[in-house]
Amino acid sequence: MSKVIVVTGAGRGLGTDIAREALVAGHRVVATGRRPEEVEKTLGGPQDNLLVTRLDVTSLDDAQAAAQAAVDRFGRIDVLINNAGNLFTGYFEEISPAQMRQQFETNLFGPMNVTRAVLPIMRKQRAGHVITITSTAGLVGMEFTSAYAASKFAEEGWMESLRYDVEPYNIHTTVVEPGYFRTELLVDGSTTWPELSIDDYAPRTAPRIAGMKSMNGQQPGDPAKLARALLTIADQDKPLQRFVAGADAIEAAQDKARELLAQAEASRELGGNLAHDDAHA
């Protein structure tokens, strides 16, 4: 059944693949980006089932205008795919406070803005689905990604809790945790390198940057296949609440689950008997 699907960050990378695959599947697509003329060109020009509209996710006004434009054109919004994001790299001390705030503005408050604009429409419909793309870095902390991982961990917590807020209105939520996909995340414009430089970190920083740049275009994941998988989830009557995307991501999630279980068990002797003596189990 045809759905109205809003895709953020549709001008490049995975967002373009999602919008393109959704159009091929017969859905009506609201493709958003900071430069709508480039989004439209990337998707092949004007189409009956395509609405291209400007959206900088850090602007709540933009988000509300995009949501209204979607309703004006197609009458409803069935699926929101929060895809837009960027990557600030670096060791924590070399990431400036301004860069850390920018990372959160785009990766956390950005999807919050768009979701805040869309949820009233979905509640009125008593139907909808919010899909938010986080990262394996939202499950597993990694060297040189403290800002990115922090924003993605926060996004995970927000989405896990949002599920309970909106379930009574027949609105579903899905968190998507991709591994390494051949998108444009590692190109200039999507990735920002450390702003500060500290001598202690210098011998590690340069090879890290070189290594990340060398990965661009070599990632194993196919974003078109991921896009089709997301559309499959959007069509499910009971969508997955968490979709771990890619063999590398699945392995990382399993490793993290085993680590958490081991750490919980190791904490039992010291942490399992900290209640007041008069507290009842």
Side-chain angles (χ1 to χ4, degrees), residues 91-235:
Y91 294 107
F92 172 68
E93 286 187 278
E94 294 190 321
I95 299 168
S96 71
Q99 286 183 316
M100 185 66 77
R101 290 181 184 278
Q102 284 180 273
Q103 181 73 100
F104 273 76
E105 284 293 339
T106 300
N107 286 3
L108 177 64
F109 296 116
M112 283 183 171
N113 284 336
V114 184
T115 304
R116 194 180 297 278
V118 166
L119 280 179
I121 297 164
M122 291 183 172
R123 278 193 293 104
K124 185 176 180 180
Q125 297 167 173
R126 287 302 194 261
H129 189 180
V130 178
I131 299 174
T132 296
I133 298 171
T134 65
S135 170
T136 305
L139 287 175
V140 182
M142 304 176 191
E143 185 179 357
F144 211 66
T145 59
S146 60
Y148 184 70
S151 69
K152 291 300 183 178
F153 266 74
E155 206 173 16
E156 292 262 336
W158 163 58
M159 282 294 294
E160 284 194 16
S161 299
L162 180 66
R163 166 194 165 195
Y164 299 101
D165 294 357
V166 300
E167 269 184 336
Y169 315 112
N170 195 35
I171 300 171
H172 302 287
T173 63
T174 299
V175 176
V176 181
E177 294 148 349
Y180 287 107
F181 279 79
R182 205 167 297 176
T183 65
E184 297 184 31
L185 183 62
L186 293 177
V187 302
D188 292 340
S190 292
T191 294
T192 301
W193 308 108
E195 191 168 73
L196 308 177
S197 180
I198 296 174
D199 287 346
D200 270 349
Y201 293 106
R204 298 162 65 195
T205 295
R208 272 280 163 185
I209 292 176
M212 293 182 75
K213 287 184 175 181
S214 70
M215 286 175 57
N216 187 48
Q218 304 301 316
Q219 303 96 320
D222 182 341
K225 290 181 178 179
L226 175 55
R228 291 192 288 272
L230 295 179
L231 294 176
T232 297
I233 292 170
D235 278 336

